[in-house]
Every structure is written in C-alpha cells, then in structure tokens.
Amino acid sequence: MSSDKPVHHAVYDTYADWETGYATAHLARAGREIRTVGRSTRPVRSVGGLSVLPDLALDDVRPQDSALLILPGADLWDTSDDLAPFARKAREFLDAGVPVAAICGATAGLAREGLLDDRDHTSAVSFYLAATGYAGGERYADADAVTDRGLITAGPTEPVAFAREVLGLLGVHQGEVLDAWYRLFHDSDLQAYAVLEKAGAL
C-alpha cells in the first residue's frame, strides 16, 4: 500500500469521535496523512461536541488518490438516509481495490449497501445488522474486528482492535510488533512496551 497517498476519514454530524482515534493518531505518528471528508466542506459536530471542518467534500474523493477510507459510527447511520452516499463511496473504493474500514453504525450502512453480503464481517451484535434486512447474516463473526478482502469491520467497543486491523492492513506495524501494540493499548501489557520500544514503534 503506497504510503504517499492519504488516508481519508469521513466526518459527519453525530460521528463517534472515540471509535477511530487510536487508528488516526497512530497512523499520523507513523507519518501518514489524514484528510477529513464531509458531505460538503461545511463544519460538522461529533457526538462528543467537537467541531470539524472537513478538508474536502465526498464528491471530490477518488479511490485512486487514497490509501484507505475510514467510516466511523454515527447516530445518523440509523436515523436517516443522510449517510447513504458514504456507503456508496465505500462501494466505489472496494470496487477499485482500495480498502475501507467501518466501525459501529457504519457497518449497518455498508450492510444496507450490500457490501457485507459476501464478506466475513462483524459489528456491535448480529441482530443489529440483521435488522437492516441484509443477506450476509451467515458471514457474521463474533470477533473484535474482521478484515476480509479489503474491508475492515468492528463494533463500537473495539476501537483498539479496529486500529490494529487498520495499522496491519496499511503495513504500519506487522507481526510481533502489531501484536505488542495491541496488547499494550488494549490490555495495558507493559511487557509489550519493551517490544515496541526496541522496534522504534512508539
């Protein structure tokens, strides 16, 4: 995966700012550019009350110019069709062979778009996705996070596992170092700190 292409992070009103923070912070620390994407370039406000001015509008994002599209959860995924264009953009990315990472409510948006019908995936709970009427129930996995054919999915309580999959997919950390990163930030395993320090991965 080319490191000279930015990672695009979708932002929209009510987006869950805590769900993607581990991923974006550690991507940025590794030198990856993060660019925020809104429906337009008007400010949006996260569920935590943070005001964000998107770097660019969704219509201006092209898969060939991106390393990854990150879709956080948001109340709007379940209360309106306002975010459906982001699910359609995810289809565009996946069709072009560019990965997508979706967490929490964004997984329901992808389910409605049909993107989980033929991929292994996870979410908050299986019946949450079943309520969308999607056809991929047999591919649901009770796991902290799942990566299948360029699509990462995770539930709302797994921001560290979500980040682990993102960092691994983009080659920021691999193998023992990736495992140690997860153990440090998920389990507070201080032995993992030594592995990361030795690898220069902190």
Side-chain angles (χ1 to χ4, degrees):
M1 195 71 59
S2 176
S3 62
D4 60 352
K5 293 183 179 180
V7 170
H8 289 94
H9 185 297
V11 290
Y12 20 73
D13 285 329
T14 75
Y15 86 90
D17 35 30
W18 70 89
E19 292 176 344
T20 58
Y22 281 97
T24 56
H26 289 271
L27 285 170
R29 281 184 174 229
R32 303 302 296 258
E33 179 186 4
I34 310 295
R35 305 204 72 199
T36 52
V37 181
R39 281 290 303 273
S40 71
T41 54
R42 291 194 298 268
V44 300
R45 189 169 296 277
S46 76
V47 74
L50 302 180
S51 181
V52 177
L53 185 65
D55 293 315
L56 67 167
L58 185 64
D59 288 345
D60 296 327
V61 177
R62 302 186 309 164
Q64 61 266 38
D65 298 328
S66 183
L68 172 72
L69 176 64
I70 296 176
L71 300 174
D75 295 344
L76 289 177
W77 283 113
D78 296 319
T79 59
S80 74
D81 293 327
D82 289 357
L83 303 186
F86 289 91
R88 291 194 290 271
K89 181 64 70 169
R91 176 180 291 281
E92 184 182 333
F93 267 61
L94 292 169
D95 286 348
V98 181
V100 172
I103 186 169
C104 190
T107 63
L110 298 192
R112 294 184 190 98
E113 182 64 20
L115 294 173
L116 305 185
D117 290 350
D118 61 353
R119 286 180 171 87
D120 294 338
H121 59 275
T122 193
S123 184
V125 288
S126 59
F127 55 81
Y128 169 65
L129 290 186
T132 69
Y134 83 131
E138 292 185 356
R139 304 294 294 268
Y140 185 90
D142 286 316
D144 56 8
V146 173
T147 300
D148 187 12
R149 290 165 39 228
L151 177 61
I152 295 169
T153 51
T157 61
E158 297 293 348
V160 181
F162 179 74
R164 178 195 65 208
E165 299 299 300
V166 168
L167 296 175
L169 185 68
L170 294 183
V172 174
H173 299 316
Q174 297 288 339
E176 180 186 29
V177 173
L178 182 62
D179 178 66
W181 183 91
Y182 178 75
R183 288 188 287 112
L184 177 63
F185 288 99
H186 187 267
D187 303 324
S188 300
D189 183 346
L190 294 183
Q191 292 182 349
Y193 182 91
V195 175
L196 295 174
E197 186 175 45
K198 182 178 179 181
L202 289 173

